C-alpha cells in the first residue's frame, strides 16, 4: 500500500491536550477529507478541502481544526473542545473519474484520550 | 438532505449461500452510489460504483431509482467475503466530491 499515509497508527493523549494527526498523499489528488469512524456509526465527515489553502466543515467539525498549506498534506488537530475524541480517524483523497469522485483512504489513526 | 440507510448491522450467511446487503438512500437529485469494503486489518477500499455497472469479486449492485435502493448481491458467498461493507452516496454538481456513508453492515460468512 502507498498513496495515502497516516501517522501514527495509535495515539494516546491525556484529556485537555490538543493532538494533531498527520495525513500525507502522493497521488497528486486535489481534494482531501477527514472522517471519524465509530462502531455502529459508519463514517462521518469532519472536514474536507478541495484545493490548497481552502477547506470546509463537514457534518461534525466542532472541536476539530485543519490546515491545507500543501497539496500533499492535510493535518487534523483534535482540540480539547472535542467532547468525545476517542475514535478511529480516516483520511482520504479523491480524484475525478468521469463525473464522480473516487475516494482513496489511508490506514487510519486510532486515538485514545483518557 | 441526503441519507443512506443500511438496515442490517450484522449479516451471517453460510459459505456458498447467496448474499444480499441492503442499502436504501434518499436524495433529491441524481445520486451516484458506491459500495466500499473494509477487510480485517486493511484500509477501506472501493468495491464498486453503480455507474460502472461492473462485477467485482462476484458482487453486483443495481441502482433502483423507483425503490431508492442499491443492494449488493453475490450468488455464492465465500469466507474471504467476511468484512464490513459500507454503502455511500454522492450528489451531483458541486456536491459530487462529498460522500455520505451508511452505518455499515458486517458480513460474516460461516464455513
Amino acid at each position: 500500500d502507498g498513496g495515502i499515509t497516516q501517522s501514527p497508527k495509535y495515539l494516546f493523549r491525556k484529556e485537555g491536550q490538543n493532538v494533531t494527526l498527520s495525513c500525507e498523499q502522493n497521488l497528486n489528488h486535489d481534494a482531501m477529507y477527514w472522517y471519524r469512524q465509530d462502531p455502529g456509526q459508519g463514517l462521518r465527515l469532519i472536514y474536507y478541502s478541495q484545493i490548497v489553502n481552502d477547506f470546509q466543515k463537514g457534518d461534525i467539525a466542532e472541536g476539530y481544526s485543519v490546515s491545507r498549506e500543501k497539496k500533499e498534506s492535510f493535518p487534523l488537530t483534535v482540540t480539547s473542545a472535542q467532547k468525545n475524541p476517542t475514535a478511529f480517524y480516516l483520511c482520504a483523497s479523491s480524484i475525478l473519474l468521469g463525473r464522480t469522485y473516487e475516494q482513496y483512504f489511508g490506514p487510519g489513526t486510532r486515538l485514545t484520550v483518557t | 438532505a441526503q441519507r443512506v440507510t443500511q438496515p442490517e448491522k450484522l449479516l451471517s450467511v453460510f459459505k456458498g449461500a447467496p448474499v444480499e446487503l441492503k442499502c436504501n438512500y434518499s436524495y433529491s437529485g441524481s445520486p451516484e452510489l458506491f459500495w466500499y469494503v473494509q477487510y480485517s486489518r486493511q484500509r477501506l477500499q472501493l468495491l464498486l460504483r453503480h455507474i460502472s455497472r461492473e462485477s467485482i469479486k462476484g458482487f453486483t449492485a443495481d441502482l433502483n431509482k423507483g425503490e431508492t435502493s442499491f443492494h449488493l448481491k453475490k450468488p455464492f458467498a465465500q469466507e474471504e467475503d467476511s468484512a464490513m461493507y459500507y454503502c455511500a452516496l454522492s450528489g451531483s454538481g458541486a456536491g459530487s466530491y462529498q460522500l455520505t456513508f451508511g452505518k455499515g453492515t458486517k458480513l460474516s460468512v460461516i464455513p
Side-chain angles (χ1 to χ4, degrees), chain A residues 1-2 4 33 37 40 42-43 45 48 50 97 99-103 105-107, chain B residues 32 34 36 38 43-44 46 49-51 86 90 96-99 101-104:
Chain A
D1 282 327
I4 303 179
Y33 311 77
Q37 188 178 27
L43 278 74
L45 183 64
Y48 62 95
Q50 289 179 265
L97 290 177
R99 64 178 195 196
T100 61
Y101 285 83
E102 180 168 335
Q103 291 195 17
F105 286 83
Chain B
E32 304 292 345
F34 307 83
Y36 280 80
Q38 192 170 31
R43 65 181 70 191
L44 191 66
L46 179 67
R49 44 188 193 149
H50 92 271
I51 198 169
Y86 293 96
S90 73
S96 62
Y97 49 82
Q98 288 187 67
L99 281 176
F101 285 85
K103 294 187 176 182

Side-chain angles (χ1 to χ4, degrees), chain A residues 33 35 45 94-103, chain B residues 1-4 23 25-36 46 48-51 63 65 70 86-102:
Chain A
Y33 311 77
Y35 293 91
L45 183 64
S94 71
I95 186 170
L96 183 64
L97 290 177
R99 64 178 195 196
T100 61
Y101 285 83
E102 180 168 335
Q103 291 195 17
Chain B
Q2 55 199 54
R3 175 181 283 185
V4 176
C23 173
Y25 67 89
S26 63
Y27 184 71
S28 55
S30 290
E32 304 292 345
L33 275 298
F34 307 83
W35 276 99
Y36 280 80
L46 179 67
L48 56 80
R49 44 188 193 149
H50 92 271
I51 198 169
L63 179 61
K65 292 187 177 181
F70 188 56
Y86 293 96
C87 183
L89 173 155
S90 73
S92 54
S96 62
Y97 49 82
Q98 288 187 67
L99 281 176
T100 297
F101 285 85

Side-chain angles (χ1 to χ4, degrees), chain A:
Chain A
D1 282 327
I4 303 179
T5 57
Q6 292 184 243
S7 61
K9 190 173 182 179
Y10 298 97
L11 193 54
F12 298 88
R13 279 294 182 272
K14 295 288 188 184
E15 194 174 324
Q17 293 179 334
N18 291 356
V19 59
T20 297
L21 282 60
S22 167
C23 177
E24 304 279 331
Q25 56 102 357
N26 62 4
L27 300 170
N28 200 34
H29 289 174
D30 287 318
M32 296 187 74
Y33 311 77
W34 274 105
Y35 293 91
R36 173 180 170 140
Q37 188 178 27
D38 296 284
Q41 293 293 320
L43 278 74
R44 292 180 290 171
L45 183 64
I46 304 172
Y47 268 98
Y48 62 95
S49 168
Q50 289 179 265
I51 56 172
V52 174
N53 293 323
D54 187 50
F55 48 83
Q56 286 80 39
K57 293 181 179 180
D59 300 320
I60 55 165
E62 185 175 348
Y64 299 98
S65 66
V66 293
S67 63
R68 186 85 186 278
E69 297 177 2
K70 298 187 298 182
K71 188 175 186 177
E72 305 79 29
S73 179
F74 191 41
L76 173 75
T77 297
V78 184
T79 74
S80 56
Q82 166 53 231
K83 292 184 172 56
N84 187 18
T86 294
F88 189 59
Y89 291 88
L90 284 172
C91 179
S93 66
S94 71
I95 186 170
L96 183 64
L97 290 177
R99 64 178 195 196
T100 61
Y101 285 83
E102 180 168 335
Q103 291 195 17
Y104 294 78
F105 286 83
T109 293
R110 186 166 298 280
L111 173 65
T112 302
V113 177
T114 57

Side-chain angles (χ1 to χ4, degrees), chain B residues 47-101:
Chain B
L47 180 62
L48 56 80
R49 44 188 193 149
H50 92 271
I51 198 169
S52 300
R53 296 184 174 275
E54 56 195 346
S55 173
I56 304 293
K57 299 185 179 183
F59 284 98
T60 59
D62 290 318
L63 179 61
N64 186 322
K65 292 187 177 181
E67 296 182 359
T68 59
S69 68
F70 188 56
H71 303 326
L72 183 68
K73 300 177 184 180
K74 185 171 182 177
F76 308 104
Q78 303 298 317
E79 289 180 64
E80 55 265 29
D81 296 329
S82 295
M84 195 74 185
Y85 291 80
Y86 293 96
C87 183
L89 173 155
S90 73
S92 54
S96 62
Y97 49 82
Q98 288 187 67
L99 281 176
T100 297
F101 285 85

